[in-house]
Amino acid sequence: MEPDRTLPTIALVVPCYNEQAALPETLPVLLGVLSTLSGSGRASEDSFILCCDDGSTDRTWDIIAEWHAREPRVKGISLAHNRGQQNALFAGLMTVLNSTTADAAVTVDADLQDAPEAIIEMVDHFRNGDDIVYGVRSSRTTDSWFKRNSARWFYGLQDRFGLETIPEHSEFRLMDRRALELLSEYGESNLYLRGIMPHIGLQSSVVTYARAARMAGESKYPLSKLISTSIDGITSFTAKPMRLIFMIGLVLLLTDIVVAVWVLMSHIRGIAISGWSSLMLSVWFLGSLVLISLGIIGEYIGKIFVEVKHRPRYAIHHTLL
Ligand code: UDP
Ligand code: MG
């Protein structure tokens, strides 16, 4: 039977780093999702899985190749070196955009922590006109206390620095071709998709799901990687921490006045040992001057940082000409 051309083709993009233990169990589940999608008339039979091997050092790529040989719906690309989940995802998404005719891509982890059933709901939202559908965790009971709380703290911090992110959303999301085209215009090499997608805008919605425990293998995110991703997330979106330095400098300068009064009082009352007053005054004054100067330099670096990214200034949503 010829595939129905009116149905959308969906690509499931799966980043894989040393996932030899998980893949043999994940692929049948995701193929099952594809069969449900096509069997229920939601998506075309051309829909496929794109595994993005992120420079694995185990048998991950062999497993992908073996699957591809017997099941054409399993496709793969492999990166020459481990570049991290964000880059593996971006490589997969750009492959979907430039080398296939898929109408939408869903990014999903290789360990089935993202509920596969939610993909069906995402596709329904897409068919109702949404360009981006975010998977949002309704519970994190399977994550450790530390991971849950550090994540909450991190979302709060991002929020305070003015980053528009979706709380409890990680990399489980659907993006249609239009969203992928806009994403491809972001030239920055320091990628933080969770920040970029809301920055793109478009019509979006949310699908909630319960996050499961990793079904096989170990987490590829040790604490060090988690912290560096968090720092990347903030520093690749905002120069506000630098403005903070300027603000602290200003507050210190104001405090100087209070300190100066106290020092002069002590001096006049004769309770200060010689040399203390001048030392105190200069330490405080110079300290705030240094911070303010750093803050001013920071403002300029912040401007350079924004310019260098060369992000699209806007994306047109609708036109009536
Ligand atoms: N991953 C990747 N490159 C990396 C680290 C992880 O492609 O350098 C993939 C990994 O194979 C998995 C997903 O990113 O599909 C999420 O990783 P993991 O499940 O280990 O993270 P956690 O769920 O523990 O935060
Ligand atoms: Mg995981």
Side-chain angles (χ1 to χ4, degrees), residues 153-198:
W153 181 80
F154 176 57
Y155 291 128
L157 194 68
Q158 283 189 331
D159 201 42
R160 202 154 309 154
F161 281 132
L163 233 88
E164 198 187 326
T165 49
I166 317 282
E168 295 299 332
H169 162 69
S170 59
E171 301 300 343
F172 186 31
R173 80 177 81 76
L174 178 146
M175 288 150 279
D176 69 1
R177 255 197 122 68
R178 197 165 172 211
L180 293 181
E181 265 156 20
L182 294 177
L183 173 64
S184 72
E185 284 174 30
Y186 282 68
E188 58 207 83
S189 50
N190 214 320
L191 266 187
Y192 188 63
L193 290 170
R194 265 176 266 180
I196 291 179
M197 298 319 293

Side-chain angles (χ1 to χ4, degrees), residues 2 9 14 41 84 98 113 123-124 136 139 150 167 173 180 216 254 274 286 294:
E2 269 291 292
T9 302
V14 189
N98 300 321
Q113 284 194 284
V123 171
D124 285 340
V136 167
S139 75
S150 57
R173 80 177 81 76
L180 293 181
L254 291 177
S274 111
L286 283 179
L294 277 179

Side-chain angles (χ1 to χ4, degrees), residues 222-257:
L223 184 60
S224 57
K225 240 182 189 171
L226 214 60
I227 292 175
S228 77
T229 309
S230 311
I231 292 176
D232 272 358
I234 289 175
T235 53
S236 66
F237 264 85
T238 162
K240 278 194 182 163
M242 294 201 268
R243 184 160 298 165
L244 203 64
I245 298 178
F246 183 72
M247 289 307 178
I248 293 174
L250 271 189
V251 169
L252 278 188
L253 196 65
L254 291 177
T255 321
D256 277 359
I257 299 170

Side-chain angles (χ1 to χ4, degrees), residues 13-19 22 52-56 60 79 82-89 108-114 137 140 143 147 170-171 194 211-212 214 216-222 225-226:
V13 175
V14 189
C16 312
Y17 178 54
N18 291 346
E19 296 287 6
C52 310
D53 177 8
D54 185 15
S56 299
T60 298
L79 305 193
N82 180 234
R83 289 273 150 231
Q85 187 190 10
Q86 298 290 312
N87 289 310
L89 281 172
V108 48
D109 282 357
D111 56 7
L112 290 185
Q113 284 194 284
D114 307 325
R137 290 176 282 242
R140 272 176 166 265
D143 281 341
K147 202 155 182 168
S170 59
E171 301 300 343
R194 265 176 266 180
R211 185 161 161 93
R214 175 176 258 279
E218 282 178 355
S219 172
K220 304 324 182 251
Y221 271 93
K225 240 182 189 171
L226 214 60

Side-chain angles (χ1 to χ4, degrees), residues 125 129-134 166 197-198 201-206 317:
H125 284 228
D130 292 331
D131 298 293
I132 305 175
V133 186
Y134 298 101
I166 317 282
M197 298 319 293
L202 293 177
Q203 184 174 319
S204 65
S205 62
V206 158
H317 196 184

